[in-house]
Amino acid sequence: MHALPVFILLGCLTFCTRLQGQGLTAKKYAEGVEISEGRSKVLFYQLKPKSLDGKYERSNYIHPLYSLDGNILTEDFPDDHPHHRGIFWAWHQIIYKGRQIADGWSCENISWEVVSSNINEKKNQLSLDNEVLWKSSMDGGPQMPIIRENSRITVYSVRNQDYRLIDFEIRLNPLTDDLKIGGSDDPKGYGGFSLRFKLPDDILFVSKQKKVQAQELAVTAGPWLDFYGSLDGKGLPESGVAVFCHPSNPGFPEPWILRSVKSMQNPAYPGRVPVKLTSEGMRFQYRVVIHEKSIDPLDIEKLYEEYSKR
């Protein structure tokens, strides 16, 4: 038998590793739920409250989020903004009867109780269906439920060996009258679905084959953005994470708060001016695409067009 060249063997090993994407599994621990595909970890959903020396306590978010090569992409309790956490959805202004009672962004006078988190499996996808009660003290007394969140986080198997889709659907329903949510009370107006990545020095923001420049205030950049660079680590092949905003979202297309160093990324809604949570509630939908260098912006646009028709 002739020996195969080393480069062919290495190629086979890499290909076989990626084929682990045939089986999505979820393991529930006391702290949260870990989703994997074969031997590769995909993400961890935080069920139980987590704090830093008793401060910035939070739950109901994703961290870590992993690249296709198994490297951690997100940060939790970063030194510069310890209230930031992986992939999360939160608002600075939570207003009851005209008075701000809580700050979900900074984790002040608010808690998230994950009442249930159910695992549902289908072919090539796995979902977490979560019910979460947002609690706050409205009059200085004990915290009471003010918002019911029902969310679905759906992870899909790796496609074409070079990208993975993760969908987020978040529904918010008020449990009391005259409740509003709003972004930061300043010209930036950031708030809503947010992602705290480990940002490399070569980070690029790309939308529809155009580079987008991060600014202090929100920028108009279209319904999707790709965050691209050495996300796996310095000296490793470049990769990216694209974020899609669904056309059904309130405020679509949302403006983007972008940061090239030490901060989060955010398709911001509703901005500085709070909006009322009506009895019908609000629904937000986003898709995260974790990909390698080989995926082209035109292909990302096609993926977005497919997603927008869902």
PDB file of all heavy atoms in Angstrom, residues 7-43:
ATOM      1  N   PHE A   7       0.127  16.142   3.051  1.00  0.00           N
ATOM      2  CA  PHE A   7      -0.857  17.213   2.898  1.00  0.00           C
ATOM      3  C   PHE A   7      -2.249  16.643   2.653  1.00  0.00           C
ATOM      4  O   PHE A   7      -3.240  17.231   3.042  1.00  0.00           O
ATOM      5  CB  PHE A   7      -0.455  18.188   1.787  1.00  0.00           C
ATOM      6  CG  PHE A   7      -0.583  17.645   0.390  1.00  0.00           C
ATOM      7  CD1 PHE A   7      -1.772  17.769  -0.315  1.00  0.00           C
ATOM      8  CD2 PHE A   7       0.497  17.027  -0.223  1.00  0.00           C
ATOM      9  CE1 PHE A   7      -1.872  17.275  -1.611  1.00  0.00           C
ATOM     10  CE2 PHE A   7       0.389  16.538  -1.511  1.00  0.00           C
ATOM     11  CZ  PHE A   7      -0.797  16.656  -2.218  1.00  0.00           C
ATOM     12  N   ILE A   8      -2.342  15.460   2.008  1.00  0.00           N
ATOM     13  CA  ILE A   8      -3.652  14.834   1.792  1.00  0.00           C
ATOM     14  C   ILE A   8      -4.200  14.328   3.118  1.00  0.00           C
ATOM     15  O   ILE A   8      -5.381  14.466   3.434  1.00  0.00           O
ATOM     16  CB  ILE A   8      -3.539  13.683   0.771  1.00  0.00           C
ATOM     17  CG1 ILE A   8      -3.181  14.247  -0.608  1.00  0.00           C
ATOM     18  CG2 ILE A   8      -4.844  12.899   0.704  1.00  0.00           C
ATOM     19  CD1 ILE A   8      -3.032  13.175  -1.689  1.00  0.00           C
ATOM     20  N   LEU A   9      -3.344  13.722   3.928  1.00  0.00           N
ATOM     21  CA  LEU A   9      -3.782  13.249   5.236  1.00  0.00           C
ATOM     22  C   LEU A   9      -4.287  14.396   6.098  1.00  0.00           C
ATOM     23  O   LEU A   9      -5.327  14.295   6.755  1.00  0.00           O
ATOM     24  CB  LEU A   9      -2.627  12.526   5.939  1.00  0.00           C
ATOM     25  CG  LEU A   9      -2.240  11.153   5.372  1.00  0.00           C
ATOM     26  CD1 LEU A   9      -0.968  10.650   6.051  1.00  0.00           C
ATOM     27  CD2 LEU A   9      -3.380  10.158   5.569  1.00  0.00           C
ATOM     28  N   LEU A  10      -3.553  15.506   6.082  1.00  0.00           N
ATOM     29  CA  LEU A  10      -3.972  16.658   6.869  1.00  0.00           C
ATOM     30  C   LEU A  10      -5.310  17.189   6.375  1.00  0.00           C
ATOM     31  O   LEU A  10      -6.178  17.568   7.160  1.00  0.00           O
ATOM     32  CB  LEU A  10      -2.907  17.755   6.812  1.00  0.00           C
ATOM     33  CG  LEU A  10      -1.600  17.442   7.531  1.00  0.00           C
ATOM     34  CD1 LEU A  10      -0.587  18.568   7.293  1.00  0.00           C
ATOM     35  CD2 LEU A  10      -1.833  17.262   9.020  1.00  0.00           C
ATOM     36  N   GLY A  11      -5.471  17.215   5.058  1.00  0.00           N
ATOM     37  CA  GLY A  11      -6.733  17.677   4.503  1.00  0.00           C
ATOM     38  C   GLY A  11      -7.881  16.788   4.925  1.00  0.00           C
ATOM     39  O   GLY A  11      -8.967  17.245   5.245  1.00  0.00           O
ATOM     40  N   CYS A  12      -7.651  15.463   4.935  1.00  0.00           N
ATOM     41  CA  CYS A  12      -8.689  14.528   5.360  1.00  0.00           C
ATOM     42  C   CYS A  12      -9.051  14.745   6.815  1.00  0.00           C
ATOM     43  O   CYS A  12     -10.220  14.711   7.206  1.00  0.00           O
ATOM     44  CB  CYS A  12      -8.214  13.091   5.164  1.00  0.00           C
ATOM     45  SG  CYS A  12      -8.137  12.584   3.425  1.00  0.00           S
ATOM     46  N   LEU A  13      -8.034  14.968   7.652  1.00  0.00           N
ATOM     47  CA  LEU A  13      -8.307  15.204   9.067  1.00  0.00           C
ATOM     48  C   LEU A  13      -9.163  16.436   9.266  1.00  0.00           C
ATOM     49  O   LEU A  13     -10.101  16.446  10.060  1.00  0.00           O
ATOM     50  CB  LEU A  13      -6.985  15.338   9.838  1.00  0.00           C
ATOM     51  CG  LEU A  13      -6.175  14.046  10.006  1.00  0.00           C
ATOM     52  CD1 LEU A  13      -4.818  14.367  10.633  1.00  0.00           C
ATOM     53  CD2 LEU A  13      -6.936  13.038  10.857  1.00  0.00           C
ATOM     54  N   THR A  14      -8.848  17.520   8.550  1.00  0.00           N
ATOM     55  CA  THR A  14      -9.636  18.748   8.674  1.00  0.00           C
ATOM     56  C   THR A  14     -11.063  18.523   8.223  1.00  0.00           C
ATOM     57  O   THR A  14     -12.026  18.922   8.880  1.00  0.00           O
ATOM     58  CB  THR A  14      -9.003  19.867   7.827  1.00  0.00           C
ATOM     59  OG1 THR A  14      -7.685  20.085   8.299  1.00  0.00           O
ATOM     60  CG2 THR A  14      -9.802  21.152   7.951  1.00  0.00           C
ATOM     61  N   PHE A  15     -11.221  17.830   7.070  1.00  0.00           N
ATOM     62  CA  PHE A  15     -12.552  17.583   6.517  1.00  0.00           C
ATOM     63  C   PHE A  15     -13.367  16.718   7.474  1.00  0.00           C
ATOM     64  O   PHE A  15     -14.532  16.990   7.740  1.00  0.00           O
ATOM     65  CB  PHE A  15     -12.426  16.897   5.165  1.00  0.00           C
ATOM     66  CG  PHE A  15     -13.748  16.624   4.499  1.00  0.00           C
ATOM     67  CD1 PHE A  15     -14.510  17.676   4.015  1.00  0.00           C
ATOM     68  CD2 PHE A  15     -14.223  15.340   4.366  1.00  0.00           C
ATOM     69  CE1 PHE A  15     -15.737  17.434   3.400  1.00  0.00           C
ATOM     70  CE2 PHE A  15     -15.433  15.088   3.756  1.00  0.00           C
ATOM     71  CZ  PHE A  15     -16.194  16.138   3.275  1.00  0.00           C
ATOM     72  N   CYS A  16     -12.728  15.677   8.024  1.00  0.00           N
ATOM     73  CA  CYS A  16     -13.448  14.785   8.930  1.00  0.00           C
ATOM     74  C   CYS A  16     -13.875  15.514  10.198  1.00  0.00           C
ATOM     75  O   CYS A  16     -14.945  15.259  10.742  1.00  0.00           O
ATOM     76  CB  CYS A  16     -12.572  13.581   9.287  1.00  0.00           C
ATOM     77  SG  CYS A  16     -12.280  12.472   7.870  1.00  0.00           S
ATOM     78  N   THR A  17     -13.025  16.430  10.672  1.00  0.00           N
ATOM     79  CA  THR A  17     -13.393  17.204  11.854  1.00  0.00           C
ATOM     80  C   THR A  17     -14.650  18.013  11.588  1.00  0.00           C
ATOM     81  O   THR A  17     -15.569  18.078  12.405  1.00  0.00           O
ATOM     82  CB  THR A  17     -12.242  18.154  12.249  1.00  0.00           C
ATOM     83  OG1 THR A  17     -11.101  17.374  12.558  1.00  0.00           O
ATOM     84  CG2 THR A  17     -12.626  18.993  13.450  1.00  0.00           C
ATOM     85  N   ARG A  18     -14.738  18.651  10.417  1.00  0.00           N
ATOM     86  CA  ARG A  18     -15.914  19.448  10.084  1.00  0.00           C
ATOM     87  C   ARG A  18     -17.165  18.591   9.915  1.00  0.00           C
ATOM     88  O   ARG A  18     -18.267  19.059  10.126  1.00  0.00           O
ATOM     89  CB  ARG A  18     -15.648  20.248   8.816  1.00  0.00           C
ATOM     90  CG  ARG A  18     -14.803  21.456   9.104  1.00  0.00           C
ATOM     91  CD  ARG A  18     -15.660  22.475   9.909  1.00  0.00           C
ATOM     92  NE  ARG A  18     -14.794  23.389  10.610  1.00  0.00           N
ATOM     93  CZ  ARG A  18     -14.167  24.395  10.015  1.00  0.00           C
ATOM     94  NH1 ARG A  18     -14.315  24.586   8.729  1.00  0.00           N
ATOM     95  NH2 ARG A  18     -13.398  25.181  10.717  1.00  0.00           N
ATOM     96  N   LEU A  19     -17.006  17.326   9.528  1.00  0.00           N
ATOM     97  CA  LEU A  19     -18.169  16.465   9.352  1.00  0.00           C
ATOM     98  C   LEU A  19     -18.821  16.101  10.680  1.00  0.00           C
ATOM     99  O   LEU A  19     -19.880  15.496  10.704  1.00  0.00           O
ATOM    100  CB  LEU A  19     -17.779  15.184   8.599  1.00  0.00           C
ATOM    101  CG  LEU A  19     -17.553  15.353   7.098  1.00  0.00           C
ATOM    102  CD1 LEU A  19     -17.241  14.007   6.466  1.00  0.00           C
ATOM    103  CD2 LEU A  19     -18.764  15.965   6.419  1.00  0.00           C
ATOM    104  N   GLN A  20     -18.187  16.485  11.791  1.00  0.00           N
ATOM    105  CA  GLN A  20     -18.835  16.304  13.078  1.00  0.00           C
ATOM    106  C   GLN A  20     -20.136  17.089  13.148  1.00  0.00           C
ATOM    107  O   GLN A  20     -20.940  16.903  14.027  1.00  0.00           O
ATOM    108  CB  GLN A  20     -17.892  16.752  14.213  1.00  0.00           C
ATOM    109  CG  GLN A  20     -16.616  15.938  14.331  1.00  0.00           C
ATOM    110  CD  GLN A  20     -16.872  14.506  14.727  1.00  0.00           C
ATOM    111  OE1 GLN A  20     -17.876  14.212  15.357  1.00  0.00           O
ATOM    112  NE2 GLN A  20     -15.977  13.614  14.348  1.00  0.00           N
ATOM    113  N   GLY A  21     -20.350  18.027  12.202  1.00  0.00           N
ATOM    114  CA  GLY A  21     -21.546  18.850  12.174  1.00  0.00           C
ATOM    115  C   GLY A  21     -22.812  18.083  11.873  1.00  0.00           C
ATOM    116  O   GLY A  21     -23.846  18.686  11.633  1.00  0.00           O
ATOM    117  N   GLN A  22     -22.768  16.768  11.817  1.00  0.00           N
ATOM    118  CA  GLN A  22     -23.956  16.000  11.506  1.00  0.00           C
ATOM    119  C   GLN A  22     -24.845  15.778  12.712  1.00  0.00           C
ATOM    120  O   GLN A  22     -25.982  15.326  12.555  1.00  0.00           O
ATOM    121  CB  GLN A  22     -23.551  14.649  10.895  1.00  0.00           C
ATOM    122  CG  GLN A  22     -22.853  14.802   9.545  1.00  0.00           C
ATOM    123  CD  GLN A  22     -22.345  13.489   9.020  1.00  0.00           C
ATOM    124  OE1 GLN A  22     -22.305  12.505   9.744  1.00  0.00           O
ATOM    125  NE2 GLN A  22     -21.936  13.454   7.768  1.00  0.00           N
ATOM    126  N   GLY A  23     -24.404  16.070  13.906  1.00  0.00           N
ATOM    127  CA  GLY A  23     -25.212  15.772  15.083  1.00  0.00           C
ATOM    128  C   GLY A  23     -25.204  16.872  16.120  1.00  0.00           C
ATOM    129  O   GLY A  23     -24.223  17.014  16.853  1.00  0.00           O
ATOM    130  N   LEU A  24     -26.281  17.665  16.184  1.00  0.00           N
ATOM    131  CA  LEU A  24     -26.412  18.701  17.198  1.00  0.00           C
ATOM    132  C   LEU A  24     -26.950  18.083  18.492  1.00  0.00           C
ATOM    133  O   LEU A  24     -27.907  17.302  18.465  1.00  0.00           O
ATOM    134  CB  LEU A  24     -27.356  19.801  16.725  1.00  0.00           C
ATOM    135  CG  LEU A  24     -26.827  20.728  15.642  1.00  0.00           C
ATOM    136  CD1 LEU A  24     -27.968  21.496  14.981  1.00  0.00           C
ATOM    137  CD2 LEU A  24     -25.810  21.709  16.217  1.00  0.00           C
ATOM    138  N   THR A  25     -26.344  18.448  19.607  1.00  0.00           N
ATOM    139  CA  THR A  25     -26.789  17.950  20.904  1.00  0.00           C
ATOM    140  C   THR A  25     -26.811  19.095  21.904  1.00  0.00           C
ATOM    141  O   THR A  25     -26.110  20.102  21.739  1.00  0.00           O
ATOM    142  CB  THR A  25     -25.863  16.841  21.436  1.00  0.00           C
ATOM    143  OG1 THR A  25     -24.518  17.352  21.531  1.00  0.00           O
ATOM    144  CG2 THR A  25     -25.883  15.632  20.522  1.00  0.00           C
ATOM    145  N   ALA A  26     -27.614  18.943  22.938  1.00  0.00           N
ATOM    146  CA  ALA A  26     -27.693  19.944  24.005  1.00  0.00           C
ATOM    147  C   ALA A  26     -27.565  19.245  25.352  1.00  0.00           C
ATOM    148  O   ALA A  26     -28.180  18.194  25.577  1.00  0.00           O
ATOM    149  CB  ALA A  26     -29.004  20.717  23.930  1.00  0.00           C
ATOM    150  N   LYS A  27     -26.761  19.819  26.232  1.00  0.00           N
ATOM    151  CA  LYS A  27     -26.613  19.315  27.595  1.00  0.00           C
ATOM    152  C   LYS A  27     -27.043  20.422  28.562  1.00  0.00           C
ATOM    153  O   LYS A  27     -26.561  21.552  28.466  1.00  0.00           O
ATOM    154  CB  LYS A  27     -25.161  18.914  27.877  1.00  0.00           C
ATOM    155  CG  LYS A  27     -24.688  17.712  27.076  1.00  0.00           C
ATOM    156  CD  LYS A  27     -23.252  17.341  27.452  1.00  0.00           C
ATOM    157  CE  LYS A  27     -22.770  16.129  26.654  1.00  0.00           C
ATOM    158  NZ  LYS A  27     -21.370  15.768  27.015  1.00  0.00           N
ATOM    159  N   LYS A  28     -27.946  20.082  29.455  1.00  0.00           N
ATOM    160  CA  LYS A  28     -28.427  21.067  30.421  1.00  0.00           C
ATOM    161  C   LYS A  28     -27.704  20.860  31.748  1.00  0.00           C
ATOM    162  O   LYS A  28     -27.701  19.772  32.318  1.00  0.00           O
ATOM    163  CB  LYS A  28     -29.944  20.943  30.600  1.00  0.00           C
ATOM    164  CG  LYS A  28     -30.534  22.029  31.490  1.00  0.00           C
ATOM    165  CD  LYS A  28     -32.059  21.956  31.563  1.00  0.00           C
ATOM    166  CE  LYS A  28     -32.708  22.489  30.314  1.00  0.00           C
ATOM    167  NZ  LYS A  28     -34.185  22.624  30.459  1.00  0.00           N
ATOM    168  N   TYR A  29     -27.089  21.939  32.219  1.00  0.00           N
ATOM    169  CA  TYR A  29     -26.418  21.952  33.507  1.00  0.00           C
ATOM    170  C   TYR A  29     -27.170  22.900  34.442  1.00  0.00           C
ATOM    171  O   TYR A  29     -28.095  23.597  34.014  1.00  0.00           O
ATOM    172  CB  TYR A  29     -24.973  22.431  33.348  1.00  0.00           C
ATOM    173  CG  TYR A  29     -24.133  21.588  32.418  1.00  0.00           C
ATOM    174  CD1 TYR A  29     -24.011  21.917  31.068  1.00  0.00           C
ATOM    175  CD2 TYR A  29     -23.444  20.479  32.890  1.00  0.00           C
ATOM    176  CE1 TYR A  29     -23.231  21.145  30.210  1.00  0.00           C
ATOM    177  CE2 TYR A  29     -22.655  19.707  32.038  1.00  0.00           C
ATOM    178  CZ  TYR A  29     -22.562  20.046  30.700  1.00  0.00           C
ATOM    179  OH  TYR A  29     -21.801  19.291  29.859  1.00  0.00           O
ATOM    180  N   ALA A  30     -26.762  22.949  35.700  1.00  0.00           N
ATOM    181  CA  ALA A  30     -27.400  23.863  36.638  1.00  0.00           C
ATOM    182  C   ALA A  30     -27.246  25.308  36.181  1.00  0.00           C
ATOM    183  O   ALA A  30     -28.160  26.120  36.322  1.00  0.00           O
ATOM    184  CB  ALA A  30     -26.806  23.673  38.037  1.00  0.00           C
ATOM    185  N   GLU A  31     -26.088  25.638  35.579  1.00  0.00           N
ATOM    186  CA  GLU A  31     -25.817  27.017  35.192  1.00  0.00           C
ATOM    187  C   GLU A  31     -26.420  27.384  33.842  1.00  0.00           C
ATOM    188  O   GLU A  31     -26.692  28.561  33.589  1.00  0.00           O
ATOM    189  CB  GLU A  31     -24.301  27.260  35.143  1.00  0.00           C
ATOM    190  CG  GLU A  31     -23.630  27.212  36.502  1.00  0.00           C
ATOM    191  CD  GLU A  31     -24.165  28.290  37.438  1.00  0.00           C
ATOM    192  OE1 GLU A  31     -24.233  29.459  37.015  1.00  0.00           O
ATOM    193  OE2 GLU A  31     -24.533  27.946  38.572  1.00  0.00           O
ATOM    194  N   GLY A  32     -26.599  26.393  32.965  1.00  0.00           N
ATOM    195  CA  GLY A  32     -27.111  26.740  31.647  1.00  0.00           C
ATOM    196  C   GLY A  32     -27.108  25.560  30.705  1.00  0.00           C
ATOM    197  O   GLY A  32     -26.924  24.401  31.112  1.00  0.00           O
ATOM    198  N   VAL A  33     -27.304  25.848  29.428  1.00  0.00           N
ATOM    199  CA  VAL A  33     -27.407  24.822  28.394  1.00  0.00           C
ATOM    200  C   VAL A  33     -26.259  24.984  27.401  1.00  0.00           C
ATOM    201  O   VAL A  33     -26.048  26.080  26.871  1.00  0.00           O
ATOM    202  CB  VAL A  33     -28.752  24.916  27.644  1.00  0.00           C
ATOM    203  CG1 VAL A  33     -28.847  23.816  26.586  1.00  0.00           C
ATOM    204  CG2 VAL A  33     -29.921  24.804  28.619  1.00  0.00           C
ATOM    205  N   GLU A  34     -25.552  23.889  27.167  1.00  0.00           N
ATOM    206  CA  GLU A  34     -24.456  23.894  26.203  1.00  0.00           C
ATOM    207  C   GLU A  34     -24.885  23.134  24.952  1.00  0.00           C
ATOM    208  O   GLU A  34     -25.333  21.994  25.033  1.00  0.00           O
ATOM    209  CB  GLU A  34     -23.216  23.244  26.799  1.00  0.00           C
ATOM    210  CG  GLU A  34     -22.001  23.261  25.879  1.00  0.00           C
ATOM    211  CD  GLU A  34     -20.801  22.627  26.536  1.00  0.00           C
ATOM    212  OE1 GLU A  34     -20.730  21.378  26.566  1.00  0.00           O
ATOM    213  OE2 GLU A  34     -19.945  23.382  27.036  1.00  0.00           O
ATOM    214  N   ILE A  35     -24.757  23.794  23.796  1.00  0.00           N
ATOM    215  CA  ILE A  35     -25.082  23.161  22.518  1.00  0.00           C
ATOM    216  C   ILE A  35     -23.789  22.857  21.781  1.00  0.00           C
ATOM    217  O   ILE A  35     -22.904  23.710  21.683  1.00  0.00           O
ATOM    218  CB  ILE A  35     -25.999  24.061  21.676  1.00  0.00           C
ATOM    219  CG1 ILE A  35     -27.342  24.268  22.402  1.00  0.00           C
ATOM    220  CG2 ILE A  35     -26.240  23.458  20.295  1.00  0.00           C
ATOM    221  CD1 ILE A  35     -28.309  25.177  21.662  1.00  0.00           C
ATOM    222  N   SER A  36     -23.702  21.649  21.262  1.00  0.00           N
ATOM    223  CA  SER A  36     -22.517  21.205  20.531  1.00  0.00           C
ATOM    224  C   SER A  36     -22.950  20.544  19.231  1.00  0.00           C
ATOM    225  O   SER A  36     -24.103  20.146  19.067  1.00  0.00           O
ATOM    226  CB  SER A  36     -21.705  20.205  21.360  1.00  0.00           C
ATOM    227  OG  SER A  36     -21.295  20.758  22.592  1.00  0.00           O
ATOM    228  N   GLU A  37     -21.993  20.427  18.319  1.00  0.00           N
ATOM    229  CA  GLU A  37     -22.194  19.648  17.111  1.00  0.00           C
ATOM    230  C   GLU A  37     -21.026  18.693  16.986  1.00  0.00           C
ATOM    231  O   GLU A  37     -19.887  19.118  16.765  1.00  0.00           O
ATOM    232  CB  GLU A  37     -22.301  20.533  15.877  1.00  0.00           C
ATOM    233  CG  GLU A  37     -22.627  19.734  14.630  1.00  0.00           C
ATOM    234  CD  GLU A  37     -23.111  20.594  13.469  1.00  0.00           C
ATOM    235  OE1 GLU A  37     -22.836  21.808  13.473  1.00  0.00           O
ATOM    236  OE2 GLU A  37     -23.755  20.038  12.572  1.00  0.00           O
ATOM    237  N   GLY A  38     -21.306  17.403  17.152  1.00  0.00           N
ATOM    238  CA  GLY A  38     -20.223  16.445  17.234  1.00  0.00           C
ATOM    239  C   GLY A  38     -19.328  16.784  18.415  1.00  0.00           C
ATOM    240  O   GLY A  38     -19.801  16.965  19.533  1.00  0.00           O
ATOM    241  N   ARG A  39     -18.049  16.945  18.157  1.00  0.00           N
ATOM    242  CA  ARG A  39     -17.103  17.283  19.224  1.00  0.00           C
ATOM    243  C   ARG A  39     -16.929  18.795  19.385  1.00  0.00           C
ATOM    244  O   ARG A  39     -16.183  19.242  20.267  1.00  0.00           O
ATOM    245  CB  ARG A  39     -15.742  16.657  18.919  1.00  0.00           C
ATOM    246  CG  ARG A  39     -15.758  15.135  18.850  1.00  0.00           C
ATOM    247  CD  ARG A  39     -14.392  14.607  18.456  1.00  0.00           C
ATOM    248  NE  ARG A  39     -14.382  13.154  18.310  1.00  0.00           N
ATOM    249  CZ  ARG A  39     -13.350  12.453  17.892  1.00  0.00           C
ATOM    250  NH1 ARG A  39     -12.216  13.079  17.582  1.00  0.00           N
ATOM    251  NH2 ARG A  39     -13.420  11.139  17.780  1.00  0.00           N
ATOM    252  N   SER A  40     -17.584  19.570  18.547  1.00  0.00           N
ATOM    253  CA  SER A  40     -17.376  21.025  18.548  1.00  0.00           C
ATOM    254  C   SER A  40     -18.466  21.746  19.341  1.00  0.00           C
ATOM    255  O   SER A  40     -19.657  21.559  19.074  1.00  0.00           O
ATOM    256  CB  SER A  40     -17.364  21.550  17.106  1.00  0.00           C
ATOM    257  OG  SER A  40     -16.351  20.931  16.359  1.00  0.00           O
ATOM    258  N   LYS A  41     -18.049  22.575  20.276  1.00  0.00           N
ATOM    259  CA  LYS A  41     -19.006  23.385  21.016  1.00  0.00           C
ATOM    260  C   LYS A  41     -19.506  24.530  20.132  1.00  0.00           C
ATOM    261  O   LYS A  41     -18.757  25.089  19.334  1.00  0.00           O
ATOM    262  CB  LYS A  41     -18.364  23.952  22.277  1.00  0.00           C
ATOM    263  CG  LYS A  41     -17.971  22.891  23.301  1.00  0.00           C
ATOM    264  CD  LYS A  41     -17.324  23.515  24.518  1.00  0.00           C
ATOM    265  CE  LYS A  41     -16.922  22.445  25.536  1.00  0.00           C
ATOM    266  NZ  LYS A  41     -16.273  23.057  26.732  1.00  0.00           N
ATOM    267  N   VAL A  42     -20.798  24.871  20.290  1.00  0.00           N
ATOM    268  CA  VAL A  42     -21.404  25.940  19.502  1.00  0.00           C
ATOM    269  C   VAL A  42     -21.674  27.167  20.373  1.00  0.00           C
ATOM    270  O   VAL A  42     -21.260  28.279  20.040  1.00  0.00           O
ATOM    271  CB  VAL A  42     -22.716  25.463  18.845  1.00  0.00           C
ATOM    272  CG1 VAL A  42     -23.358  26.603  18.052  1.00  0.00           C
ATOM    273  CG2 VAL A  42     -22.458  24.274  17.943  1.00  0.00           C
ATOM    274  N   LEU A  43     -22.367  26.970  21.497  1.00  0.00           N
ATOM    275  CA  LEU A  43     -22.686  28.096  22.371  1.00  0.00           C
ATOM    276  C   LEU A  43     -23.119  27.590  23.732  1.00  0.00           C
ATOM    277  O   LEU A  43     -23.419  26.400  23.920  1.00  0.00           O
ATOM    278  CB  LEU A  43     -23.773  28.988  21.755  1.00  0.00           C
ATOM    279  CG  LEU A  43     -25.146  28.371  21.448  1.00  0.00           C
ATOM    280  CD1 LEU A  43     -26.045  28.250  22.686  1.00  0.00           C
ATOM    281  CD2 LEU A  43     -25.869  29.196  20.393  1.00  0.00           C
TER     282      LEU A  43
END
